Amino acid sequence: MLHVNFALERTTVVYDPAKTNAEEFEKKVEDLGYHVVQQKTKFDISGMTCAACATKIEKRLSKMDGVSRANVNFALETIAVSFDNYTVRGYGGGRVKMRSDYYG
């Protein structure tokens, strides 16, 4: 199912994830000469003890629905996240504090 709202410049697509994915839709839109708008934000992270912690955080966030990219800077204790603002909701900007056992 496809719904286009020209006034808001928003398209909603309902699809079967067994047959396709959001990245394929994004590629098709860009092949047509348009751009998919992604939100970008940066968070401070505390408690990381090693580079493996940074990698684990990147992998877990990248698997979230609507997150297209997550890049952790271990030295600066920050993460930059690109996401679809309509899919990822309820996450405010600012500091993110995770338990140290989360990093495993």
Side-chain angles (χ1 to χ4, degrees), residues 10-84:
R10 181 188 301 178
T11 301
T12 303
V13 180
V14 178
Y15 64 93
D16 180 354
K19 296 181 180 178
T20 189
N21 58 51
E23 290 79 21
E24 287 186 33
F25 287 114
E26 185 173 343
K27 182 177 179 340
K28 293 287 185 190
V29 168
E30 292 186 356
D31 287 348
L32 292 168
Y34 299 96
H35 301 284
V36 176
V37 177
Q38 295 277 321
Q39 286 286 116
K40 295 179 183 174
T41 192
K42 191 174 185 179
F43 297 96
D44 295 322
I45 302 174
S46 62
M48 289 187 294
T49 57
C50 62
C53 298
T55 301
K56 190 174 219 177
I57 293 168
E58 281 182 356
K59 285 182 180 180
R60 287 195 182 179
L61 285 177
S62 294
K63 289 180 182 179
M64 288 178 63
D65 285 342
V67 174
S68 59
R69 182 173 294 125
N71 293 41
V72 173
N73 184 317
F74 177 67
L76 296 178
E77 293 188 316
T78 60
I79 184 166
V81 183
S82 297
F83 60 95
D84 172 6

